Amino acid sequence: MTTTHGSAKWQGGIKDGKGAISTKSGALADYPYGFASRFEGKPGSNPEELIGAAHAACFTMALSLILGEAKLTAEHMETKADVTLEKVADGFAITAVHLTLSAKIPGADNAAFQELAGKAKAGCPISKLLNTKITLDASLQG
């Protein structure tokens, strides 16, 4: 078992306030976030992009493990996770995550690749955490 952490600070109201996000590793150290970066496209981070990065990383690592179990090794994999935040009846909710994977895996055929990618989508810990619709487009490069 492993435990790690992230942290956030906040000052002010929802629209005029300012926040800072940090991670245990130091990859983020008091990185700014706030209403404008979350809802208005302004510079800074937001929780949804962090979830997207975490989900893309988790899924890609899970697929690497599953490929290894199938005696395959990726030459290259790149995953993007589009996280959708929408207004719902009781506030806001993440309503979907769409994973887009491009991979070059010597010796893999597309049918097996699609099956293994589906297993990674269902089995990665971040997928298990999220209570939302998760979709996947996986393409195998020649």
Side-chain angles (χ1 to χ4, degrees), residues 8-77:
K9 300 175 192 170
W10 189 265
Q11 290 179 285
I14 186 65
K15 287 197 173 184
D16 65 345
K18 295 179 183 176
I21 301 168
S22 298
T23 57
K24 178 182 175 184
S25 69
L28 294 175
D30 289 328
Y31 197 82
Y33 81 105
F35 187 90
S37 62
R38 192 172 195 185
F39 295 106
E40 298 171 352
K42 303 290 186 198
S45 189
N46 62 69
E48 292 73 34
E49 82 171 1
L50 297 171
I51 290 168
H55 199 184
C58 184
F59 163 77
T60 307
M61 286 183 73
L63 182 53
S64 180
L65 171 69
I66 291 168
L67 287 169
E69 291 169 348
K71 308 289 187 237
L72 295 166
T73 302
E75 184 177 307
H76 174 82
M77 292 190 286

Side-chain angles (χ1 to χ4, degrees), residues 93-108:
I94 292 173
T95 57
V97 176
H98 182 72
L99 300 169
T100 304
L101 166 68
S102 176
K104 185 170 185 179
I105 304 165

Side-chain angles (χ1 to χ4, degrees), residues 69-141:
E69 291 169 348
K71 308 289 187 237
L72 295 166
T73 302
E75 184 177 307
H76 174 82
M77 292 190 286
E78 186 170 339
T79 305
K80 178 182 175 190
D82 291 305
V83 178
T84 302
L85 178 70
E86 292 184 300
K87 179 94 171 91
V88 294
D90 59 346
F92 285 86
I94 292 173
T95 57
V97 176
H98 182 72
L99 300 169
T100 304
L101 166 68
S102 176
K104 185 170 185 179
I105 304 165
D109 67 64
N110 193 53
F113 169 69
Q114 295 297 330
E115 180 184 339
L116 298 175
K119 286 182 181 179
K121 177 186 80 134
C124 94
I126 301 295
S127 289
K128 292 177 181 180
L129 170 71
L130 298 173
N131 183 25
T132 195
K133 178 182 176 183
I134 300 170
T135 55
L136 169 65
D137 284 329
S139 61
L140 190 58
Q141 307 305 308

